[in-house]
Amino acid sequence: MKDTDIKKLLYTHLLCIFSIILSIFIPSFFLENFSILETHLTWLCICSVSVTAVNLVLYLVVKPNVSSKRSSLSYKVTRFLKCCIYFLTSCFFFHVIFVLYGAPLIELALETFSLAVILSTFTTIPCLCLLGPNFKAWLRIFSRNGVTSIWENSLQITTISSFVGIWLGAFPIPLDWGRPWQEWPISCTLGATFGYVAGLVISPLWIYWNRKKLTYKNN
């Protein structure tokens, strides 16, 4: 494992974190009364678009997983459409999960779906960028000893940390503190965001710390 690969991973993650920071501060210059709490749904949309755009650009530039398949126009269009279907399916799947876990079915449905979109942005989008619409590869990565590169190792960590973050973010909601950020789904989205950022920071450091122990099938 080369240290240059780990540095490339670190710089990529720092740019992803920077995209989230930009989604917090830049819109306030153009939108009146913009804030994470007061205009939460607007921020969710901006954050989702920002993170998605940065992920797409970075993976196109870095190309951590070069496909050996043909690259004809029809193949690219089909692949893009499949990715869109996977993303939408992920959003609806997470939405159903949230409802099953107690989110309002009709009331605040838009807020619940927005939470599903931001979680899909933090988890599904990186999977699609790295692996494409290949569900078998997704299962391989999230199975034991299934990763074949530091990028897939990092994908494991950031995805799991996003789920842990949104789970922890749900704990303050039933408490009677009366804080504005306890409204559904603000604490969950903040938890998912903090979890995603934590994963982006932790994964390169963990890989660097364990670089001598890590072995991959393709190395």
Side-chain angles (χ1 to χ4, degrees):
M1 183 188 306
K2 298 179 181 179
D3 288 347
T4 54
D5 294 333
I6 300 178
K7 288 181 180 179
K8 187 184 296 184
L9 177 68
L10 175 61
Y11 295 149
T12 301
H13 284 195
L14 289 176
L15 287 174
C16 290
I17 295 174
F18 186 63
S19 69
I20 295 178
I21 296 174
L22 287 180
S23 72
I24 297 174
F25 294 103
I26 296 300
S28 61
F29 293 104
F30 304 97
L31 300 176
E32 188 177 355
N33 298 325
F34 176 84
S35 70
I36 294 179
L37 298 183
E38 297 298 330
T39 54
H40 190 65
L41 292 183
T42 303
W43 174 74
L44 284 179
C45 294
I46 295 173
C47 182
S48 179
V49 171
S50 177
V51 172
T52 300
V54 169
N55 269 279
L56 290 173
V57 171
L58 288 176
Y59 281 104
L60 286 174
V61 173
V62 178
K63 296 181 179 179
N65 189 17
V66 180
S67 176
S68 59
K69 296 182 179 180
R70 62 187 184 278
S71 57
S72 63
L73 179 60
S74 60
Y75 171 76
K76 291 180 179 179
V77 172
T78 302
R79 182 183 175 90
F80 173 77
L81 293 176
K82 285 183 178 180
C83 287
C84 292
I85 293 173
Y86 269 56
F87 179 74
L88 290 175
T89 302
S90 172
C91 293
F92 285 110
F93 174 77
F94 287 140
H95 183 94
V96 171
I97 293 297
F98 297 151
V99 171
L100 292 177
Y101 270 88
L105 178 61
I106 304 300
E107 186 183 5
L108 303 178
L110 179 59
E111 285 79 358
T112 303
F113 187 74
S114 298
L115 175 61
V117 170
I118 199 68
L119 183 60
S120 296
T121 301
F122 294 152
T123 58
T124 307
I125 289 295
C127 288
L128 290 172
C129 290
L130 184 64
L131 305 170
N134 186 348
F135 193 68
K136 290 183 178 179
W138 294 22
L139 293 177
R140 171 181 58 79
I141 285 183
F142 294 102
S143 63
R144 186 176 181 181
N145 300 324
V147 297
T148 60
S149 69
I150 62 172
W151 296 92
E152 294 180 357
N153 231 148
S154 173
L155 187 60
Q156 275 187 336
I157 296 172
T158 54
T159 300
I160 293 173
S161 63
S162 298
F163 284 125
V164 171
I166 196 172
W167 179 67
L168 292 176
F171 277 88
I173 293 179
L175 302 178
D176 58 350
W177 295 344
R179 303 293 183 179
W181 51 267
Q182 288 181 273
E183 295 183 9
W184 176 259
I186 296 177
S187 63
C188 289
T189 57
L190 294 179
T193 304
F194 285 129
Y196 176 65
V197 171
L200 292 174
V201 174
I202 292 171
S203 56
L205 299 178
W206 184 87
I207 291 171
Y208 178 78
W209 184 264
N210 295 277
R211 66 191 184 282
K212 295 181 179 179
K213 301 178 183 178
L214 294 174
T215 57
Y216 300 112
K217 296 178 181 178
N218 63 338
N219 287 345

